Amino acid sequence: MSSTRRRFLRNSALAGATLAGGAAAVHGCSPASNDSTSAGAGAASGQASGGLPITVAGYPYDRVAPLMDGRVQIEGVDLEFEVSSIGLMNEHIFGGPQTREMTEVGLHPFMLAYANEDFRGYNLIPVFPLRTFRHKSVFVRTDRGIETPEDLRGKKIATPGYSSTSLTWIRGTFSDDYGLDPRDVEWIVSSVSSESDSGKTSSLENFIPEGVPISAGPAGVDESELLVSGEVDAIFHALEPKAYREGDPIVDRLFTDPRTTEREYFARTGIFPIMHVVAIRDDVIEQHPWLPLAVFNAYSEAKQLNHDLMKNLGWALISLPW
């Protein structure tokens, strides 16, 4: 056996063990249906070291897994990681008990709470667990002649969360790049989402501005049903709606090759949209002013570990060819 082959097998075994821990976190820590997750089935914690006890909530991303399983430590901290969904995490700090010292939070709901409700309970640090492009998040009926964003003018668009971060990015992009103002369409806010993994919609995800034509959809009818029935012409949704996932021919993405569109957008603007950010409770920062930098460094280290793994062995360990 050559030294190169031995090295590959050794590295594969090590990476496999790493991924196994991450997979256990992902499959054993699905977003909670309530906000009372505790260490165990829905939480992971690092090794106790007598440091400052900190509870943080978030999604079990691969780039955060090293914090969850203890490979990366926050200096001076004993960390307990609770897995939750973004709606529940938002509500926990905006209208809930605020028992968590740290949490992932939606960027735009935080901005709305800060600007309109004098919210000052938490401070953001420049750690962005989720960044993604949103051209992929626009779905249309295939029988309405909608081939470009401009064709949406005068149409009805359904969404489960008008003021969510993802929808805010879409509206801003469509306004800047295609001249489609939010007042140019009629918005229907569905009472439920067809994608259960999206979790609860927080109150600040439906903060309705004046002058925009918005109405509530029928009770119990999700955005996918509204599109299939013909009640609306399009959907703006962070996740794929049920009808699209099931292959209904009446539904397709507006941008049929979103990867190409999103790459062009990035090349032209340099913007990689921020969806979620990490927040730390103000009183904890006041008592421990060293904490934000320690948290930033740990998240950065965890991200770099995942980046190195994907760069060196990602092709062998995941199902995607590229």
Side-chain angles (χ1 to χ4, degrees):
M1 184 184 292
S2 69
S3 61
T4 300
R5 179 171 170 78
R6 283 196 300 269
R7 189 182 310 116
F8 169 77
L9 292 175
R10 181 193 64 206
N11 289 342
S12 294
L14 290 172
T18 296
L19 243 65
V26 171
H27 294 295
C29 302
S30 57
S33 59
N34 57 61
D35 215 28
S36 59
T37 318
S38 60
S45 60
Q47 297 296 319
S49 61
L52 177 67
I54 293 288
T55 297
V56 59
Y59 282 94
Y61 308 108
D62 57 355
R63 49 205 172 272
V64 177
L67 281 171
M68 297 178 63
D69 61 29
R71 281 177 288 146
V72 170
Q73 302 283 324
I74 300 175
E75 186 176 359
V77 167
D78 284 342
L79 187 69
E80 181 179 288
F81 197 105
E82 296 183 351
V83 176
S84 188
S85 65
I86 191 62
L88 291 173
M89 289 185 281
N90 288 343
E91 286 297 322
H92 183 91
I93 70 169
F94 297 135
Q98 299 186 350
T99 54
R100 293 169 178 149
E101 290 82 7
M102 288 168 45
T103 186
E104 185 175 338
V105 66
L107 176 60
H108 194 236
F110 188 99
M111 293 166 65
L112 287 171
Y114 190 94
N116 297 295
E117 299 188 359
D118 199 31
F119 176 77
R120 298 294 187 273
Y122 285 71
N123 258 295
L124 304 183
I125 63 172
V127 172
F128 314 117
L130 180 59
R131 302 177 77 164
T132 191
F133 300 97
R134 283 304 179 191
H135 296 78
K136 67 176 70 69
S137 302
V138 180
F139 303 85
V140 300
R141 280 187 65 101
T142 56
D143 63 350
R144 300 289 168 91
I146 303 171
E147 298 182 358
T148 69
E150 292 88 347
D151 294 332
L152 289 169
R153 189 170 281 106
K155 304 293 188 182
K156 291 184 178 181
I157 300 176
T159 176
Y162 180 85
S163 298
S164 66
T165 306
S166 56
L167 270 292
T168 303
W169 275 107
I170 297 172
R171 292 196 311 274
T173 300
F174 276 28
S175 177
D176 290 346
D177 287 358
Y178 307 107
L180 185 72
D181 190 274
R183 292 166 292 188
D184 294 337
V185 302
E186 183 178 345
W187 301 90
I188 308 296
V189 178
S190 63
S191 60
V192 291
S193 170
S194 68
E195 177 44 71
S196 59
D197 287 345
S198 62
K200 176 184 177 182
T201 300
S202 68
S203 59
L204 286 169
E205 290 179 75
N206 281 317
F207 190 93
I208 309 303
E210 295 182 3
V212 176
I214 300 179
S215 60
V221 179
D222 64 47
E223 83 299 334
S224 181
E225 294 171 309
L226 288 172
L227 188 63
V228 171
S229 69
E231 292 293 316
V232 300
D233 306 289
I235 296 172
F236 285 10
H237 195 343
L239 301 176
E240 294 176 351
K242 181 179 179 181
Y244 182 83
R245 297 196 315 272
E246 294 180 347
D248 192 321
I250 202 66
V251 181
D252 199 2
R253 281 192 164 98
L254 173 62
F255 299 99
T256 55
D257 183 7
R259 179 177 294 189
T260 297
T261 303
E262 290 168 355
R263 285 182 171 182
E264 183 279 328
Y265 171 82
F266 179 74
R268 177 168 47 84
T269 67
I271 295 172
F272 186 19
I274 297 167
M275 300 294 132
H276 299 174
V277 65
V278 171
I280 305 178
R281 209 171 63 211
D282 280 0
D283 65 306
V284 180
I285 295 175
E286 291 172 2
Q287 296 172 30
H288 309 282
W290 51 268
L291 181 62
L293 181 57
V295 171
F296 175 85
N297 289 337
Y299 270 92
S300 298
E301 182 181 352
K303 177 182 175 183
Q304 188 62 46
L305 280 178
N306 180 67
H307 175 79
D308 292 343
L309 173 64
M310 297 305 296
K311 180 180 178 182
N312 296 328
L313 281 169
W315 58 270
L317 299 173
I318 65 174
S319 300
L320 302 177
W322 293 285

